[in-house]
């Protein structure tokens, strides 16, 4: 790293003669040795590797999976690698609904063999696009794992002196809490024979809508990485929006996450032979209860396929460009990654639920239903009952100077992200959900009491106070670094 100033000095002193050169060279060597602790160099690299699945793989995200029959836009695993001279970390964001720990860990082991990066120093997450296919199939799993490993390897191979900065900007217009209190009780039935207090995705513009059951997080966080000549190497955005959707059925798409990346790269990327192309990335914040539907609106506007997604990506890219202008990049920051596992109890059915399911199994196809998914949930509950009693949950904090990036392996409710941001001892904090595993929804205990889809046993799988344990652990991890 110190060859550059040395070379420059050698050129300017060349005419002064050999002895003078030697003397100056010794002085420079000395000053370099003395300066070494002060002149710290940050290295960064970024890369994107395609992970589009083969056609015929099953698109997941709804109640019934269906085969992919067309590629609308390619899917990617995108990586940013950072090195402060002491610690090397990587962030990998994949276009997928949610990736299990088994796949991530296989990729980690390959990365450890090919690079010097510690397995615990990599934060891996899925964007939560609903037009991708299951990650754990025989055909697709090797493509996904190799794609993740190659993205990290390439990013590490491209490490170069860099500078880093961050900022944020609010965009409340595209995020809506999707859980609503509504007067009409028939709209609040749950698949367990009961009635909830709130309903997920109520009918748009319905007269019985009262108010949303939780907040939104309007913040777009922006992490910018540039080469020391100012060339944009990568940009990582973070917004708490589930996804946008509106794809043609059966088509593979990275959703607005992919479109955002394209748009921001057009705005900030420069094609220079001296640097690799910019990598634009949008990660998902805490959006377990947030979507893009304005439930109050009664206009009934129908969007053409991909139209809405395009519009949202445009707006978010414009806002990120605005936030990017305010960033003051730093030449060096200390980098740390902390990883911790916590055990969470898996939810199990109680005697009354078992009685209910026993009665349900006697029902005929023609009998009236309390809820249209009651049988699907009976199966989901049975699977939980037969499964393990406890999960090990990976939690991660990446500390980049005054910025903390948290990783939670659930579809996390917005209020959890807001609490972490408010209580974090770091100047700026944001959370990436579905990180390092995919364990279903994470509501708060209050939201569990209100009920609704995300809290149903089978959609939610862990103990009802899980969010409190996770929040307390992450804050403790952050305080241990501060
Ligand atoms: Zn979801």
């Amino acid at each position: 790293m110190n060859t550059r100033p040395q070379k420059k000095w050698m050129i300017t002193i060349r005419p002064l003669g050999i002895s003078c050169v030697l003397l100056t060279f010794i002085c420079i060597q000395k000053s370099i040795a003395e300066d070494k602790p002060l002149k710290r160099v940050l290295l960064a690299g970024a890369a994107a590797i395609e992970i589009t699945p083969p056609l015929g793989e099953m698109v997941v995200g709804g109640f019934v999976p269906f085969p992919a029959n067309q590629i609308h836009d390619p899917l990617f695993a995108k990586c940013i690698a950072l090195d402060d001279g002491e610690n090397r970390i990587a962030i990998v964001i994949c276009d997928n609904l949610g990736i299990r720990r088994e796949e991530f860990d296989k990729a980690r082991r390959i990365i450890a063999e090919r690079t010097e990066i510690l397995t615990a120093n990599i934060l891996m997450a899925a964007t939560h696009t609903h037009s991708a296919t299951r990650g754990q199939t025989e055909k697709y799993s090797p493509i996904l794992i190799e794609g993740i490993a190659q993205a990290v390897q390439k990013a590490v191979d491209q490490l170069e002196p860099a500078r880093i900065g961050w900022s944020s900007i609010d965009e409340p217009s595209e995020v809506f809490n999707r859980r609503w209190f509504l007067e009409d009780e028939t709209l609040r039935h749950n698949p367990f024979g009961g009635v909830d207090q709130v309903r997920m995705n109520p009918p748009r513009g319905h007269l019985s809508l009262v108010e949303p059951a939780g907040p939104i997080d309007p913040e777009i966080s922006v992490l910018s990485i540039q080469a020391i000549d100012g060339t944009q190497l990568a940009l990582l955005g973070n917004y708490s929006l589930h996804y946008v959707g509106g794809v043609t059925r059966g088509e593979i798409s990275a959703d607005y996450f992919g479109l955002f990346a394209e748009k921001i790269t057009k705005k900030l990327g420069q094609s220079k032979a001296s640097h690799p192309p910019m990598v634009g990335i949008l990660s998902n914040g805490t959006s377990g209860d947030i979507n893009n539907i304005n439930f109050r609106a009664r206009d009934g506007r129908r969007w053409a396929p991909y139209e809405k997604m395009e519009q949202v990506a445009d707006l978010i890219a414009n806002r990120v460009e605005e936030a990017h202008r305010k960033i003051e990049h730093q030449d060096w920051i200390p980098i740390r990654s902390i990883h911790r596992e916590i055990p969470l109890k898996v939810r199990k059915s109680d005697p009354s639920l078992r009685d209910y399911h026993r009665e349900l199994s006697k029902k005929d196809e023609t009998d009236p239903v309390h809820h249209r998914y009651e049988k699907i949930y009976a199966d989901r509950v049975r699977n939980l009952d037969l499964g393990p009693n406890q999960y090990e949950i990976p939690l991660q904090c990446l500390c980049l100077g005054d910025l903390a990036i948290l990783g939670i392996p659930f579809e996390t409710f917005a209020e959890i992200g807001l609490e972490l941001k408010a209580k974090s001892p770091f100047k700026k904090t944001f959370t990436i959900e579905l990180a390092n595993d995919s364990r279903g929804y994470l509501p708060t205990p209050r939201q569990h009491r209100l009920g609704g889809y995300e809290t149903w046993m089978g959609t939610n799988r862990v103990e009802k106070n899980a969010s409190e344990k996770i929040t307390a652990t992450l804050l403790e991890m952050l305080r241990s670094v501060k």
Side-chain angles (χ1 to χ4, degrees):
M1 279 328 106
N2 292 322
T3 49
R4 198 164 290 176
Q6 191 179 319
K7 264 186 209 155
K8 199 170 142 200
W9 277 98
M10 290 293 276
I11 290 161
T12 50
I13 57 183
R14 195 170 290 151
L16 301 176
I18 297 291
S19 59
C20 194
V21 168
L22 261 177
L23 182 66
T24 316
F25 182 74
I26 290 162
C27 292
I28 289 167
Q29 285 296 342
K30 192 165 175 277
S31 89
I32 285 169
E34 279 165 1
D35 280 348
K36 214 173 177 186
L38 297 174
K39 183 67 193 163
R40 291 172 292 200
V41 179
L42 176 75
L43 301 175
I49 299 288
E50 198 181 324
I51 52 165
T52 307
L55 295 181
E57 288 288 287
M58 300 306 268
V59 177
V60 281
F63 277 98
V64 187
F66 47 88
N69 55 29
Q70 182 91 19
I71 312 294
H72 178 269
D73 53 271
L75 307 186
F76 289 97
K78 295 173 180 173
C79 175
I80 296 175
L82 295 168
D83 188 320
D84 69 352
E86 223 169 275
N87 296 307
R88 183 172 287 186
I89 62 141
I91 301 169
V92 192
I93 305 295
C94 307
D95 293 316
N96 195 280
L97 184 76
I99 299 172
R100 297 184 321 170
R101 186 174 186 163
E102 287 85 337
E103 274 64 41
F104 280 144
D105 283 352
K106 279 182 196 162
R108 263 177 233 283
R109 283 194 287 274
I110 300 174
I111 294 161
E113 284 165 20
R114 296 184 193 166
T115 70
E116 277 173 29
I117 200 156
L118 299 173
T119 52
N121 285 7
I122 313 168
L123 188 154
M124 300 178 172
T127 56
H128 205 54
T129 170
H130 278 51
S131 35
T133 65
R134 206 173 264 141
Q136 63 266 39
T137 66
E138 209 185 320
K139 242 190 193 171
Y140 186 45
S141 167
I143 298 172
L144 178 64
I145 292 166
E146 183 58 29
I148 294 172
Q150 279 187 23
V152 179
Q153 196 181 356
K154 195 169 170 194
V156 168
D157 286 347
Q158 290 176 172
L159 284 172
E160 63 175 299
R163 53 191 209 179
I164 190 166
W166 47 86
S167 87
S168 69
I169 195 161
D170 281 357
E171 186 47 66
S173 73
E174 299 305 322
V175 278
F176 299 89
N177 197 293
R178 68 182 195 179
R179 289 162 51 80
W180 279 74
F181 290 101
L182 69 174
E183 283 159 8
D184 189 342
E185 195 186 296
T186 61
L187 291 171
R188 288 186 271 114
H189 282 196
N190 65 38
F192 311 109
V195 177
D196 292 328
Q197 290 183 64
V198 304
R199 147 134 191 181
M200 181 266 274
N201 287 347
R204 235 174 79 165
H206 201 273
L207 288 173
S208 86
L209 289 175
V210 180
E211 59 177 355
I216 55 157
D217 178 357
E219 187 178 42
I220 314 169
S221 300
V222 183
L223 175 68
S224 166
I225 289 143
Q226 298 184 335
I228 39 178
D229 66 1
T231 306
Q232 195 73 34
L233 296 177
L235 181 136
L236 171 71
N238 180 267
Y239 191 42
S240 294
L241 170 58
H242 216 76
Y243 71 112
V244 177
V247 304
T248 306
R249 191 180 161 87
E251 289 192 348
I252 293 291
S253 169
D255 205 276
Y256 92 114
F257 306 96
L259 276 174
F260 165 85
E262 237 173 67
K263 288 170 192 289
I264 200 66
T265 305
K266 262 191 207 132
K267 287 173 189 289
L268 304 176
Q270 301 147 277
S271 65
K272 282 188 184 171
S274 49
H275 297 285
M278 173 187 159
V279 178
I281 312 174
L282 185 60
S283 59
N284 206 326
T286 48
S287 65
D289 52 347
I290 306 298
N291 68 14
N292 190 236
I293 301 166
N294 182 358
F295 291 97
R296 287 265 189 227
R298 294 216 187 110
D299 59 4
R301 160 94 204 258
R302 289 235 159 241
W303 301 83
Y306 303 97
E307 188 189 356
K308 190 74 201 290
M309 188 191 286
E310 183 83 37
Q311 193 202 63
V312 177
D314 238 348
L315 177 62
I316 302 304
N318 286 339
R319 300 295 279 156
V320 165
E321 189 185 22
E322 231 178 296
H324 182 263
R325 273 186 233 124
K326 295 182 293 190
I327 295 178
E328 283 177 26
H329 291 84
Q330 302 174 58
D331 290 334
W332 185 86
I333 46 151
I335 292 174
R336 284 277 302 273
S337 168
I338 331 166
H339 175 93
R340 203 180 285 180
E341 306 265 332
I342 61 162
L344 288 181
K345 284 198 260 330
V346 177
R347 284 176 71 181
K348 301 285 174 183
S349 60
D350 58 17
S352 73
L353 188 55
R354 282 197 287 276
D355 286 347
Y356 177 73
H357 283 151
R358 210 169 296 122
E359 290 306 308
L360 193 67
S361 64
K362 293 176 196 158
K363 262 168 112 176
D364 279 332
E365 294 294 317
T366 49
D367 287 339
V369 296
H370 178 75
H371 189 279
R372 64 179 167 141
Y373 294 137
E374 56 194 19
K375 294 222 160 153
I376 290 182
Y377 274 86
D379 287 342
R380 289 184 175 191
V381 168
R382 196 173 315 116
N383 285 339
L384 277 183
D385 282 342
L386 294 172
N389 295 327
Q390 187 175 294
Y391 295 147
E392 290 301 316
I393 300 297
L395 297 175
Q396 191 167 11
C397 302
L398 297 179
C399 306
L400 314 177
D402 284 331
L403 167 71
I405 303 175
L406 309 176
I408 298 181
F410 291 92
E411 291 182 62
T412 308
F413 274 36
E415 59 203 81
I416 298 167
L418 289 169
E419 187 183 347
L420 286 164
K421 284 178 178 180
K423 293 186 178 166
S424 165
F426 281 65
K427 257 192 197 150
K428 163 130 194 69
T429 299
F430 67 85
T431 304
I432 297 178
E433 69 172 20
L434 290 169
N436 302 320
D437 202 352
S438 174
R439 288 293 189 185
Y441 282 92
L442 186 66
T444 56
R446 174 180 166 261
Q447 296 291 345
H448 268 294
R449 287 193 291 276
L450 298 177
Y453 166 77
E454 299 87 346
T455 70
W456 293 343
M457 192 176 159
T459 320
N460 167 268
R461 296 177 222 151
V462 291
E463 53 186 291
K464 292 182 180 176
N465 58 348
S467 74
E468 289 180 341
K469 289 188 177 177
I470 288 171
T471 302
T473 308
L474 284 169
L475 291 174
E476 199 187 298
M477 287 160 76
L478 289 179
R479 281 192 292 267
S480 76
V481 184
K482 273 277 163 181

